[in-house]
Amino acid sequence: MTERLRLEPVRPALADDLWLLHQDAGIARWYGGTYSRAEARERAAGMGATWAGGGVHKWLAYDRESGGLVGRGGLSYQEVDGARRLEAGWAVRGSLWGRGYASEIGRASLAVAFDELNADEVVSFTEVDNLRSRAVMERLGFGSPREIRHRGEPFVLYVLPRPQGRH
């Protein structure tokens, strides 16, 4: 739970919500288009297996008051810039942009990374022209942006080392 959100690990039972989320034009733009129901089931199953195996993965984020689907985000291990790294990410429905939900998901992710997983660093990356997501990264304290190639496309990678004094 965060101040406004209930975060649920993505698992097969939430495949329909994952599908619904990825029908949103504001999200589909950055994730290669909309998901089919089969893709959503496959991705939810994969994320659920990672969670069940003791790992970490993404959450679906729901408004605590209304129960409405807000977005998704959290942590996952990704192959980024030639190394397996702990990555924080978020995606919020376009109609809810500008309300601080991505930052709220990001802060929850960083709390898990540093306080529970004892991570030395967390990375975040996005397409070079995704200025909204880049602004969230900067608000959360990520720095040292540099361009990388991801899936053959130009992305920008940000890094957040463990803050001093955080154990």
Side-chain angles (χ1 to χ4, degrees), residues 116-130:
E116 296 178 27
L117 300 177
N118 202 28
D120 290 329
E121 74 170 15
V122 178
V123 301
S124 195
F125 61 100
T126 191
E127 291 87 344
V128 171
D129 61 343
N130 188 341

Side-chain angles (χ1 to χ4, degrees), residues 79-98:
E79 188 72 25
V80 182
D81 200 28
R84 184 175 184 262
R85 301 172 93 169
L86 186 61
E87 179 257 349
W90 41 82
V92 173
R93 297 174 92 167
S95 63
L96 300 174
W97 289 356

Side-chain angles (χ1 to χ4, degrees), residues 57-73:
H57 218 297
K58 301 297 194 255
W59 301 297
L60 283 178
Y62 299 90
D63 183 280
R64 286 178 62 176
E65 288 186 19
S66 71
L69 182 60
V70 171
R72 73 172 181 88

Side-chain angles (χ1 to χ4, degrees), residues 30 44 66 131 161:
W30 302 110
S66 71
L131 301 181

Side-chain angles (χ1 to χ4, degrees), residues 7 9 19 30 33 41 52 82 145 162 166:
L7 304 171
W19 172 82
W30 302 110
R41 281 192 302 272
R162 169 192 292 286
R166 196 161 189 175

